[in-house]
Amino acid sequence: MKDKDMLVGWDDGKIYLYLKGEEYCISDEPELVEKIIALCRQHYEQKARQDSVTDEQ
């Protein structure tokens, strides 16, 4: 990995964060996974509402 911070999913079914040369397994942190899911849900629900409004116009 380069020095670039990045989020990566591997074929082991887990999600990893590479941050300043260190590897962190996000999937091993249940509270963090729940926060990420909630953030994604909020994002896509908001996007769906915006798309719905755009379609109505």
Side-chain angles (χ1 to χ4, degrees):
M1 267 307 127
K2 300 275 184 195
D3 291 337
K4 185 177 180 182
D5 300 343
M6 58 189 328
L7 198 58
V8 178
W10 291 110
D11 59 359
D12 65 357
K14 294 189 175 189
I15 300 170
Y16 297 88
L17 174 67
Y18 290 92
L19 181 65
K20 301 185 189 309
E22 296 287 326
E23 177 184 284
Y24 302 92
C25 183
I26 292 171
S27 301
D28 290 344
E29 301 287 339
E31 288 181 22
L32 184 55
V33 171
E34 287 301 316
K35 288 179 182 180
I36 291 168
I37 290 170
L39 180 62
C40 292
R41 181 181 298 117
Q42 179 183 9
H43 171 81
Y44 285 107
E45 286 174 350
Q46 181 179 5
K47 185 176 180 347
R49 285 191 300 272
Q50 289 172 346
D51 290 348
S52 177
V53 168
T54 301
D55 290 344
E56 289 176 3
Q57 293 176 354

